[in-house]
Amino acid sequence: MFEAFVLICMLRDPTICQTLQDTQGPYQTEIQCEVRAYEIAMELPEYMPEYVAVKYKCDAKGQDI
């Protein structure tokens, strides 16, 4: 199972960042998790127009990496 996280930073001050955690997961595959992370990035301007998605991470939940 994988959980999606997206790092977002302010457009005007890229030193101000925060991490968004997906509330729809976890996902069975890493690919599904990556797709969700990209969806979050695409929807971000609608909800938080002053931020931009910088990175994403799909963490394996309950698995040894």
Side-chain angles (χ1 to χ4, degrees):
M1 303 294 277
F2 294 89
E3 290 184 302
F5 297 88
V6 178
L7 178 67
I8 62 172
C9 296
M10 274 193 115
L11 289 167
R12 293 182 193 220
D13 186 353
T15 63
I16 299 175
C17 301
Q18 58 184 313
T19 302
L20 300 179
Q21 181 177 0
D22 178 44
T23 59
Q24 294 183 12
Y27 302 93
Q28 291 291 326
T29 68
E30 191 168 7
I31 301 263
Q32 290 172 322
C33 179
E34 290 174 359
V35 167
R36 179 61 184 141
Y38 278 100
E39 287 175 355
I40 293 168
M42 295 301 293
E43 294 172 357
L44 185 64
E46 182 178 340
Y47 298 100
M48 300 176 79
E50 66 278 4
Y51 284 86
V52 63
V54 178
K55 296 181 183 181
Y56 75 89
K57 181 176 182 180
C58 286
D59 260 355
K61 183 178 178 182
Q63 298 178 8
D64 291 333
I65 300 176

